[in-house]
Each structure stands twice: as structure tokens, then as C-alpha cells.
């Protein structure tokens, strides 16, 4: 347990969201390294991370980066040792701006580094519950 390591994690502000209004998901992704040396993070654009929401079948139903613009500047940065946090807020709605229905989902956050593989990927499950029924008099 005392050996150097690299980790990537994701956390959400809650586990259950109410479908009333347009629920907002707040996410934090954390890259942490206790390795004695820095390592490179290669970015093919100005985008540093993304979040994908998947339904119970594993189908992608929403993406944080949809409709956003990023610079097309290729860059490399050295990271570590230390910790870096990436935060995002996203409406729980699909690409057509329609609220996601009640159900169980997984939020997958990852760093948008170069390459097809996602070496820094983490997921968290959550649920959207139906509208609460009004109280009977």
C-alpha cells in the first residue's frame, strides 16, 4: 500500500436525481500520482475531459461535450507527482434537449488524451426517479 501509484476517480454530487425540472449532475474527476517522476499527458485538442451517460443497456444517451467547441491545439504537459481535479456540470438530458427518463444510469468520465484507448476512465452509477406525486388532502 505504500508503493507509488497512479489513479483516476470520479464522484457525483448525489446518487439519486429527481426528474422534476431539468436535473443537473455535478461531477468531479481526479487524477492522482505518487510516482516519483512526471509523465506526459498528450492532448489532441483543447478538450481535457468528457462525460458519457449510459442507460441500463449500456447505450450512450448523453455526452457532456455535445454542442461545445474546443480549440484544435495539440499540446503535451507533464503531470505528477500530485493531484488534479476536473469538474463539470451537465443537464440530464439527451442530444435533443429532452429530459432523461426515470431509470438507472452510469456516468463515465475520462480524460480526453490522445489515442483510442482511455487510460484514465472511471464510472459512477446513479438513478433518476420519477416525479413525486402530489400529496392528497
Amino acid at each position: 500500500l505504500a508503493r507509488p501509484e497512479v489513479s483516476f476517480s470520479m464522484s457525483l454530487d448525489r446518487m439519486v436525481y429527481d426528474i422534476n425540472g431539468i436535473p443537473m449532475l455535478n461531477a468531479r474527476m481526479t487524477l492522482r500520482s505518487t510516482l516519483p517522476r512526471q509523465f506526459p499527458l498528450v492532448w489532441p485538442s483543447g478538450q481535457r475531459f468528457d462525460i458519457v451517460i449510459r442507460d441500463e443497456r449500456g447505450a450512450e444517451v448523453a455526452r457532456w461535450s455535445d454542442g461545445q467547441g474546443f480549440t484544435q491545439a495539440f499540446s503535451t504537459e507533464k503531470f505528477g507527482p500530485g493531484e488534479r481535479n476536473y469538474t463539470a456540470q451537465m443537464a440530464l438530458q439527451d442530444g435533443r434537449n429532452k429530459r432523461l427518463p426515470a431509470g438507472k444510469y452510469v456516468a463515465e468520465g475520462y480524460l480526453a488524451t490522445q489515442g483510442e484507448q482511455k487510460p484514465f476512465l472511471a464510472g459512477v452509477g446513479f438513478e433518476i426517479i420519477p416525479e413525486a406525486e402530489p400529496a392528497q388532502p
Side-chain angles (χ1 to χ4, degrees):
L1 294 175
R3 298 181 65 111
E5 63 184 12
V6 175
S7 65
F8 183 74
S9 62
M10 180 175 184
S11 59
L12 302 179
D13 60 333
R14 55 181 60 161
M15 293 177 58
V16 178
Y17 296 86
D18 190 320
I19 203 168
N20 288 319
I22 299 176
M24 298 298 286
L25 176 144
N26 292 289
R28 181 178 68 219
M29 293 154 282
T30 303
L31 176 61
R32 184 173 180 270
S33 173
T34 59
L35 299 176
R37 298 183 193 261
Q38 295 181 324
F39 59 88
L41 294 173
V42 181
W43 309 104
S45 72
Q47 182 179 6
R48 294 299 183 248
F49 63 86
D50 209 346
I51 299 170
V52 173
I53 306 294
R54 297 189 184 279
D55 65 14
E56 292 181 84
R57 297 182 326 272
E60 180 178 319
V61 295
R63 181 176 288 268
W64 174 81
S65 62
D66 281 352
Q68 297 196 45
F70 301 97
T71 61
Q72 295 303 306
F74 187 90
S75 64
T76 301
E77 66 179 275
K78 298 286 186 181
F79 176 76
E83 182 176 288
R84 181 163 304 142
N85 289 294
Y86 303 87
T87 60
Q89 183 178 66
M90 70 182 289
L92 292 174
Q93 56 190 26
D94 64 20
R96 297 180 311 263
N97 296 326
K98 184 178 177 191
R99 286 187 299 191
L100 295 179
K104 295 184 181 194
Y105 297 88
V106 172
E108 293 178 346
Y110 63 91
L111 296 186
T113 52
Q114 184 177 24
E116 291 296 315
Q117 294 185 347
K118 297 177 180 74
F120 302 109
L121 169 73
V124 179
F126 68 94
E127 185 175 3
I128 299 175
I129 60 172
E131 292 184 61
E133 300 216 5
Q136 299 292 328

